[in-house]
Amino acid sequence: MLFALLARLGQMVLVMFGISVVAFLIFFATPGADPSARIAGRNASQETLQQVRHDFGLDRPLPVQYALMMKRLFVTRDLTSFVNRGQKVIPTVMNAIPITLSLVCGAAVLWVLGGLVVGVVAGATRGSYVDRGLMMLGLAGISMPVFWLGEVANLVTQSRWHDTWAFSWVPALGYVPLSVDPWGWFKALVIPWTVLATLYVGLYGRVLRASLIEMMQEDFIRTARAKGIGETRVLLHHGLRTSLVAFVTMFGLDFGALVGGGALLTEVVFGLQGVGKLTYDALQTLDLPMILATVIYASFFVVMANFVVDILHAILDPRARDAR
Amino acid sequence: MPAEPLLEVSGLTVSFRTEDGLVEAVRGISFAIAPGEIMGLVGESGSGKSQTLLALMGLITSPNAVLSGSVRFRGQELVGLGRRALDRIRGRDMAMIFQDPMTALTPVHTVGAQIVEQIRAHERISPRAARARAVELISAVGIPAPADVAGRYPHQLSGGMRQRAVIAMALSCNPALLIADEPTTALDVTVQAQILELIGRLRDEFGSAVILVTHDLGVVAEIADTVRVMYAGKVVEEGSKRDLFTAPQHPYAWGLFASIPPLEGARPARLSAIPGTPPRLSALPAGCAFRPRCAHAHAACAAMPALTGEGGHRAACVLSPARRAELLAAGEARS
Ligand SMILES: Nc1ncnc2c1ncn2[C@@H]1O[C@H](COP(=O)(O)OP(=O)(O)OP(=O)(O)O)[C@@H](O)[C@H]1O
Ligand code: SF4
Ligand SMILES: [Mg+2]
């Protein structure tokens, strides 16, 4: 177990290193990305440019620049943005993390519960109207673009019906820290959660239904039925329990990607200054330090999520436990 | 046979809606089993043995399956019985051992937990006591270190161990009827012998009846009281073990039992091959389904022969008893 943990840590460092190098190189290979021109301002003279290049170490060879940047990112932690002068990268990312985590965790609770209910009910009533209705709703949820759904939600709750009894509780767009005002935090996030979860409820519901139906054809389900334990128990304790392995794997990957910045559209629509929004802005302005910080952060979460998935996988599936 | 049957099957039919139309896998079979009776059920692959057993247990769940006929267990009709009532009988009074031990157990639960689940579904008993019972059962089926095995997952056990675990589970509530679908096919000879002994002991100790499907006539010779031979979804011959082994009546049974040495003696081979292939269920010949492969087929065989005979030894063939005796004596049946 300890060995597995260490191997994982090593793997994580490698992945983060690789991704940061790639991001770094892509940046320098991008035409028009010369940071010194940005930093110095539009009409700066050649001398100023030289000066800026020298000050920021941009005249050094690339490996040295990379090492310097990593040092300022991780060791001294005083790397500043190329675009917003003086904005320290690390604290900015640190401030964005709780926002993204709040958004994604809340949505995850909703979509896991929703996906389980939809998948199990549809799978158990396969072919019925309930099943068909749920699958149709799921498909609708999957096909609605998240920003469109978000805009509609905003339109309804922020302007159209904001003054009616139904939505007068909805606060203005933005984030309220959990530590400051838990109820305000909840109110600010419940609509973003629902919007972000809609897609995944549909997706997870459909996937779970398919895997449950497949599992229920297995021989061991017949054995379980022959035991006289009742269909509910057969369905949940044997069918669902074996289907969960795939469900959890999928969840871990999606969760990691979202926490790593994939909830970008939801963050933008709801004015949440999360990591996704940060990455988005940094990419727009080609702000190399910020890009590096967010990309490394994202890779950390993706690898972490994989790790957690592996652990859950081992807990849920004894065969995977022994395979290691 | 004693008067009161434990299980009474009549006109049981299992058909499937397929692309070729309605296909009958089991075609109206009837039989009865007395308490403590061990019935051997033999027949070629695809003759409907497994489907018959699954129908008895109410385990045919395919939406394309159509089931008709009657299955009475201790006088209670099981066909069409509600799920709750059925679940009070299944696993407790009737239990089944499945054909393939490799896939019969849920991979994510320990063997012990799966046995405990069945015991606790039918008896008010503490988890601890159920656990102890499960370990006892695992030990009783001849698995060494039962407490250890109870904590293992199916994939950590060999095929033989798994099959024995499935048997332990089936025996957990001392069923009055054990339905075993080729319980020993996947196992090596020594394990086979142990499992047959176990099944015999179940009958001796608890008076349980057993339906045993097998391809191995040696197993039938060793353990069965009565034998039924199935062909294309029908019982074509039934009788006591002695009847079948010493004087088979149906030409198909002649083929089956031809290569079998006498009841006592060396372990016989598996079912001997019979020339020709089993008929496709979607295109069964009218009348006797064995007609295309039968050396004695004639015009009268185009009408469906009924099971006839005396003293419980009956065969579904139009040949007269005298003609059959003639053929048998001439050795033609054993060629
Ligand atoms: N779902 C189904 N749809 C159509 N036909 C089916 C279905 N299930 C089983 N059958 C057919 O029913 C017939 C009887 O199958 P069954 O499994 O009872 O044979 P068996 O006697 O147990 O053979 P084996 O010795 O190989 O186990 C087969 O011909 C099979 O093709
Ligand atoms: S009925 Fe006719 S075809 Fe069928 S087994 Fe008897 S002799 Fe052969
Ligand atoms: Mg079979």
Side-chain angles (χ1 to χ4, degrees), chain B residues 44-51 53-54 99 181-182 213 215:
Chain B
E44 280 172 313
S45 189
S47 55
K49 307 179 298 292
S50 294
Q51 294 303 324
L53 303 194
L54 292 174
Q99 194 164 351
D181 195 353
E182 304 194 31
V213 166
H215 280 151

Side-chain angles (χ1 to χ4, degrees), chain B residues 63-85:
Chain B
N64 290 319
V66 186
L67 196 77
S68 65
S70 150
V71 176
R72 285 179 168 274
F73 181 77
R74 288 180 171 151
Q76 186 177 16
E77 179 60 56
L78 299 187
V79 174
L81 188 63
R83 181 65 192 256
R84 263 166 197 285

Side-chain angles (χ1 to χ4, degrees), chain B residues 198-264:
Chain B
L198 201 73
I199 291 175
R201 220 166 60 216
L202 180 74
R203 186 256 298 268
D204 297 341
E205 283 177 23
F206 299 102
S208 307
V210 180
I211 301 179
L212 181 73
V213 166
T214 178
H215 280 151
D216 189 339
L217 289 178
V219 169
V220 176
E222 208 169 301
I223 195 171
D225 303 315
T226 57
V227 180
R228 285 189 168 76
V229 179
M230 276 188 84
Y231 187 82
K234 272 185 172 302
V235 172
V236 293
E237 179 158 359
E238 62 182 21
S240 71
K241 171 170 69 179
R242 188 154 290 277
D243 291 338
L244 265 288
F245 276 86
T246 55
Q249 294 295 303
H250 195 278
Y252 174 65
W254 288 345
L256 278 189
F257 292 85
S259 61
I260 303 300
L263 278 184
E264 297 80 19

Side-chain angles (χ1 to χ4, degrees), chain B residues 85-226:
Chain B
L86 188 59
D87 275 342
R88 273 196 287 278
I89 298 172
R90 291 203 287 209
R92 189 181 68 183
D93 302 318
M94 284 169 87
M96 181 156 176
I97 303 169
F98 295 91
Q99 194 164 351
D100 185 358
M102 301 315 273
T103 54
L105 291 164
T106 305
V108 297
H109 299 303
T110 62
V111 167
Q114 298 189 50
I115 299 177
V116 166
E117 182 180 38
Q118 175 161 355
I119 297 174
R120 290 190 25 104
H122 299 289
E123 289 172 37
R124 292 184 161 275
I125 177 173
S126 75
R128 183 181 282 264
R131 182 93 193 162
R133 261 270 288 290
V135 173
E136 265 170 46
L137 283 160
I138 294 173
S139 162
V141 294
I143 298 180
D148 175 43
V149 167
R152 293 220 229 143
Y153 292 94
H155 75 277
Q156 296 168 324
L157 303 177
S158 67
M161 294 254 255
R162 281 189 220 187
Q163 188 64 305
R164 280 188 274 184
V166 171
I167 294 172
M169 194 156 85
L171 302 187
S172 60
C173 298
N174 301 320
L177 175 64
L178 178 69
I179 296 178
D181 195 353
E182 304 194 31
T184 59
T185 308
L187 309 178
D188 65 55
V189 178
T190 42
V191 183
Q192 275 187 23
Q194 285 174 4
I195 283 174
L196 290 182
E197 194 198 305
L198 201 73
I199 291 175
R201 220 166 60 216
L202 180 74
R203 186 256 298 268
D204 297 341
E205 283 177 23
F206 299 102
S208 307
V210 180
I211 301 179
L212 181 73
V213 166
T214 178
H215 280 151
D216 189 339
L217 289 178
V219 169
V220 176
E222 208 169 301
I223 195 171
D225 303 315
T226 57

Side-chain angles (χ1 to χ4, degrees), chain A residues 126 218-231 233-234 237-238 241-242 245 315-322, chain B residues 54 57 59 61 83 87 90-92 94 96 98 100 103-109 114-115 117-118 121-122 153 155-156 169:
Chain A
R126 176 188 189 184
E218 295 282 340
D219 280 0
F220 61 77
I221 292 294
R222 210 171 51 195
T223 311
R225 288 204 175 109
K227 287 157 77 172
I229 55 177
E231 188 64 16
R233 196 171 164 91
V234 172
H237 199 237
H238 294 266
R241 180 61 183 69
T242 33
V245 179
I315 292 174
L316 286 174
D317 189 351
R319 288 164 297 183
R321 218 174 298 163
D322 290 350
Chain B
L54 292 174
M57 290 289 289
L59 288 174
T61 50
R83 181 65 192 256
D87 275 342
R90 291 203 287 209
R92 189 181 68 183
M94 284 169 87
M96 181 156 176
F98 295 91
D100 185 358
T103 54
L105 291 164
T106 305
V108 297
H109 299 303
Q114 298 189 50
I115 299 177
E117 182 180 38
Q118 175 161 355
H122 299 289
Y153 292 94
H155 75 277
Q156 296 168 324
M169 194 156 85

